[in-house]
Amino acid sequence: MNDSTPSEPASEEAEPTSFVEKTKNWYGKHRTTIRAVCGAAGSVAVAVVVARQAMEQHATEDAGSTADSVEEDERRKSPVKHSVAGYTRRLADGREIPVSGYERGGSS
């Protein structure tokens, strides 16, 4: 009889034959280390999420305070009258057009 399967069961000291058995044995030996690493990684992930939310909230509050300060000072000083030199302007489609000089500011 020339079977590929052994006729006797494998002893407990023999190497596990399947990947699943090897994985179960490895996990059993390293369970506490695996849990500690996963816990640490989870804690870092939570800290990163909380920090990002705090930064976004802080940025939103800063933007709101800037808008409030603009609303508080509704009376805006008119700009000083000055001349703007001519220049070339590039349009979105790539064309360049000349812009002649003009006066700016000083309106009441």
Side-chain angles (χ1 to χ4, degrees), residues 2 4 10 13 35 37-38 53 55 60 62 68 74 80 86 88 101 106:
N2 210 355
S4 62
E13 294 179 16
R35 288 183 179 175
V37 168
C38 289
Q53 288 177 347
M55 288 173 50
T60 303
D62 284 348
D68 293 342
E74 291 180 18
V80 177
T88 304

Side-chain angles (χ1 to χ4, degrees), residues 6 9 13 17-18 21 25 29-30 39 43-46 53 61 63 75-76 85 90 95 100 102:
E13 294 179 16
T17 55
S18 74
E21 289 177 24
N25 288 341
K29 291 177 184 176
H30 303 288
S43 298
V44 169
V46 169
Q53 288 177 347
E61 289 173 356
R75 293 178 299 139
R76 189 178 144 201
R90 183 180 307 256
R95 292 181 295 144
S100 59
Y102 56 94

Side-chain angles (χ1 to χ4, degrees), residues 18-101:
S18 74
F19 176 75
V20 175
E21 289 177 24
K22 288 180 183 179
T23 305
K24 285 181 182 178
N25 288 341
W26 182 83
Y27 177 75
K29 291 177 184 176
H30 303 288
R31 179 178 298 154
T32 55
T33 305
I34 293 169
R35 288 183 179 175
V37 168
C38 289
S43 298
V44 169
V46 169
V48 167
V49 169
V50 169
R52 282 187 182 171
Q53 288 177 347
M55 288 173 50
E56 289 174 3
Q57 182 179 5
H58 184 68
T60 303
E61 289 173 356
D62 284 348
S65 66
T66 304
D68 293 342
S69 65
V70 170
E71 289 174 5
E72 290 173 3
D73 188 22
E74 291 180 18
R75 293 178 299 139
R76 189 178 144 201
K77 294 180 182 177
S78 60
V80 177
K81 189 170 187 173
H82 63 280
S83 296
V84 177
Y87 60 95
T88 304
R89 178 175 181 187
R90 183 180 307 256
L91 301 176
D93 61 2
R95 292 181 295 144
E96 291 185 357
I97 59 171
V99 177
S100 59

